[in-house]
Amino acid sequence: MKLSRALAGLLCLVLLLGLMPAMPGNAAAAAAAETPARGSGFDNPLPMKLGRRATGMISRELPVVYYEVSIPAYGRYTLVSGGLEVKVRLYRQDRTWVKTFLPEMPDGGGSVKLVDEEFTVSKKGTYYLAVEASGVKKAGSFTLTLSAASGDATPAPATPAPTPRPTPSPTPMAGGKQPGAVLPDPKGALAQSGKGLGTLKASNVIRKAGMAWPESAHPYENDTDQVWYYSDELPFTTGYRITFSADTQLEPYFDRLYFYDENNVQLAFSDGTTTYSYFTGTQLAGKTLAIYHPAFYIRLVTDYSSTYYGFRITALTRTAATAAIHSVNQTNINTVRVEWGAVPGAAGYALYRSATSSGLGYSLLRYTTVPYATVTGLLSGSRYYFKVRPFVNSAEGKVLGAYSPYKPITMLARAAITAIVQAPGNAARLTWGAVVEAEGYTVYRSRTSTGTYTAIGSTTARSFTDAGLSSGRYFYKVAAYRMNGGVKVHGLQSAV
C-alpha cells in the first residue's frame, strides 16, 4: 500500500511538471532555433557598403549568403570576390534578377577562379547580391567588394563610353535573312510589316514634338519597354530623315529598337538587300533612316543583362507634301493658266509669281480653293516664275505649307520681220527673227497697210515664200504661236 501511494504521488508530480510553463532559458533556446541566420534570404540580408570589403561564410546550413547594398547613382561599377570560388547574382529591390557574375581564372594565374567584372548599373537604388559556391569546394569563407569603376564610391560619368563586347551570332529574322549593316541614307520605300504595336500605355509613351528629338538615357535601363513619340505637328508633313549618332549602340541582339508609324503599325526598313524589322548592336550607328509618315514611335526593349550607350539622334529633317505645278500654259496674248496637283488635307492654295527664279521676288497673287488659276495682265516677251503653297485654316488664320518648285513661262514676244524680197515666179519671200519658246509662226497678208490681214500659212521655219501673186502692192505680218491643247495660241503680230 505504501509503495502504491508513493507511485501515485510521483505520477501526480510528473503531470504537474508537464503542465507548468517553460522556464525562461528554454524559451530563448526555442526562439533561437526558429530565427533565420543573417544573410539567409532577401528578408534577412547582411549589410554591404559600397567600396568596402564584405566577408562571409558559406556552409551546409547557409549555402547562399544574401547582401543588401545601396547604389547612389547609375554608372560603371566593379565586383571582385576572393577566397572561396563563388558565383554572384545581382537583384533589384523588387527581387527581379539583373545579372549573374561567374568566376574566371585571374590573369596572373592561380588555383581558384574569382569574380572580377566591370558592369553598368542603369538605375540607382537598393540591390541584393546572392553569393553561393560554384567550385568543387562547397563551403568556406569568401570576400566580396563592390565599388565604383573609378576606384572610389563616386558614380560613373553620365555618358560613359560603351564597353565593347563580342556580338553573338544573330538569330535569323523573318524570311531567313540575317541582320547586317544598314547602308547610309536608304532611299528605298518603307515597308509595313503588318505587326501592330497595340495600345500604348500612357505611362510608357514619351510624347515629344517640335524640336525635342527622341533620345534614350545613356546608358539605358535594364528590363525596360519604353516608347518615344515624335511629330513636328506641322501640316502636310509626310516623313522624316533621321540620322543617329556614331556612338548609338544596344546590347547585340538581346536589346532591340523598333519603329512604328502613327497608327502603331511596325515599320520595316530595307537597304536594297536586307529587310530589318528591328535594330540591335551598332546597326544604327551613324546611319540615316527614311520614314514616310507624319509621326512615328521609337520603341526600346531591353532584357535584364548588360546595358549600353543607347540611341541619340544628331539630325532630323522633315519632308512635306507640296503642290507640284503640272503646267503653265499661255491662253492668249497676256494670259496664262496655272495648274497643280491637289494636296490631301489642304483647304486651299496660295499662288505666287516672280520675275526671277530666286525666292526673293515672289509675291502673292491670290488664294484659291481649287488646284488651278488664271493669271492675266502679263507682258509680251516677259518671263515669269510661279510657285504654289497649300494651306489649312486655323483659329490664328491660314497655316501655309512648303513652296512648290517654280514653274516658268516666257510670254510670246512680238515677231519682227527682217526682210521681204521679190522672188522668181511672182512670189515674195519673207524672213524674221526667232521668238523665244515659239513652236511656229503664222504669216498674214493684206493689200493695204491698215486693212484686214488674213492668215496665208504657217511654218516652223523663220522664212516663208508667198507665191502666185499678181502685180500690185502687198503688206505682211508674222505672229509666233505655241500649242495649247491642240490649239495655236498666238503672240502679238509684227509691225507692218
Side-chain angles (χ1 to χ4, degrees):
M1 290 293 294
K2 292 181 179 180
L3 181 58
S4 299
R5 289 175 181 175
L7 290 174
L10 181 60
L11 182 57
C12 291
L13 179 61
V14 171
L15 291 173
L16 288 172
L17 289 174
L19 295 173
M20 291 177 62
M23 298 296 292
N26 294 336
E34 295 176 0
T35 302
R38 292 294 302 276
S40 60
F42 289 109
D43 295 325
N44 194 31
L46 291 167
M48 174 184 280
K49 291 188 176 181
L50 193 67
R52 295 188 182 182
R53 179 182 298 177
T55 59
M57 176 71 71
I58 292 177
S59 62
R60 183 176 180 181
E61 292 76 20
L62 192 61
V64 183
V65 180
Y66 288 80
Y67 290 90
E68 181 182 38
V69 62
S70 177
I71 296 181
Y74 68 81
R76 302 293 294 174
Y77 292 84
T78 302
L79 184 67
V80 179
S81 71
L84 183 67
E85 184 177 313
V86 297
K87 66 179 179 180
V88 183
R89 295 190 302 274
L90 178 67
Y91 297 88
R92 289 194 183 89
Q93 188 173 18
D94 61 3
R95 305 181 184 182
T96 56
W97 173 81
V98 176
K99 182 177 178 63
T100 298
F101 302 88
L102 298 176
E104 297 180 355
M105 193 64 69
D107 294 337
S111 58
V112 178
K113 295 180 180 180
L114 302 174
V115 172
D116 188 355
E117 185 172 342
E118 185 175 317
F119 65 102
T120 299
V121 173
S122 59
K123 189 176 182 180
K124 67 179 182 179
T126 299
Y127 287 80
Y128 296 102
L129 296 167
V131 186
E132 61 180 300
S134 66
V136 176
K137 191 176 180 181
K138 300 300 181 183
S141 62
F142 64 88
T143 63
L144 200 65
T145 305
L146 177 64
S147 59
S150 59
D152 55 28
T154 58
T159 56
T163 302
R165 294 181 60 189
T167 303
S169 298
T171 301
M173 299 166 63
K177 296 182 178 180
Q178 300 284 340
V182 179
L183 295 178
D185 204 15
K187 295 186 172 75
L190 189 67
Q192 295 184 4
S193 68
K195 178 181 178 183
L197 176 63
T199 303
L200 296 172
K201 298 179 182 178
S203 60
N204 205 30
V205 178
I206 301 174
R207 295 191 65 86
K208 290 189 175 182
M211 297 304 294
W213 297 344
E215 182 174 349
S216 71
H218 309 299
Y220 53 80
E221 295 184 19
N222 275 317
D223 186 26
T224 186
D225 187 347
Q226 194 172 24
V227 180
W228 289 261
Y229 168 85
Y230 184 84
S231 171
D232 62 8
E233 299 182 348
L234 295 175
F236 314 116
T237 297
T238 58
Y240 308 90
R241 305 188 80 80
I242 309 169
T243 301
F244 290 84
S245 65
D247 49 7
T248 291
Q249 184 179 16
L250 308 178
E251 183 182 13
Y253 182 69
F254 300 104
D255 297 343
R256 304 178 181 184
L257 211 59
Y258 299 85
F259 293 81
Y260 299 82
D261 68 10
E262 71 279 11
N263 297 314
N264 296 343
V265 176
Q266 186 177 341
L267 303 177
F269 299 83
S270 174
D271 59 9
T273 303
T274 305
T275 298
Y276 302 88
S277 57
Y278 63 84
F279 296 94
T280 187
T282 58
Q283 289 177 340
L284 277 179
K287 303 301 188 297
T288 299
L289 296 182
I291 293 181
Y292 305 117
H293 296 272
F296 63 89
Y297 294 92
I298 299 179
R299 183 186 186 189
L300 175 62
V301 180
T302 67
D303 68 356
Y304 290 98
S305 56
S306 301
T307 63
Y308 283 59
Y309 178 80
F311 73 91
R312 180 169 61 89
I313 295 173
T314 57
L316 191 154
T317 58
R318 166 184 181 251
T319 57
T322 186
I325 297 177
H326 299 323
S327 62
V328 180
N329 291 317
Q330 186 170 352
T331 57
N332 61 36
I333 293 173
N334 64 353
T335 303
V336 297
R337 179 182 170 91
V338 186
E339 298 182 356
W340 55 87
V343 176
Y349 308 90
L351 181 63
Y352 297 82
R353 185 185 70 196
S354 175
T356 62
S357 61
S358 68
L360 301 177
Y362 284 88
S363 57
L364 176 65
L365 293 179
R366 69 176 66 115
Y367 293 108
T368 177
T369 58
V370 292
Y372 55 85
T374 298
V375 181
T376 61
L378 304 179
L379 299 178
S380 176
S382 296
R383 187 167 177 83
Y384 297 94
Y385 300 82
F386 295 90
K387 288 185 177 183
V388 68
R389 300 172 70 183
F391 69 81
V392 293
N393 295 312
S394 70
E396 291 77 23
K398 290 180 173 62
V399 180
L400 293 164
Y403 284 97
S404 69
Y406 67 77
K407 189 81 170 178
I409 188 172
T410 300
M411 303 299 289
L412 291 175
R414 184 191 296 271
I417 296 175
T418 56
I420 303 176
V421 296
Q422 185 174 351
N426 298 325
R429 179 175 175 80
L430 295 77
T431 58
W432 55 86
V435 173
V436 176
E437 294 189 11
E439 297 179 46
Y441 303 88
T442 298
V443 179
Y444 302 86
R445 184 182 65 195
S446 176
R447 295 303 299 263
T448 63
S449 62
T450 59
T452 301
Y453 285 79
T454 304
I456 59 173
S458 295
T459 180
T460 57
R462 290 189 291 116
S463 63
F464 183 84
T465 299
D466 184 16
L469 300 175
S470 58
S471 60
R473 189 172 179 83
Y474 294 88
F475 298 85
Y476 293 92
K477 290 185 178 182
V478 176
Y481 71 82
R482 61 180 5 132
M483 301 302 295
N484 183 4
V487 177
K488 294 177 182 177
V489 178
H490 289 88
L492 292 173
Q493 294 179 354
S494 62
V496 176

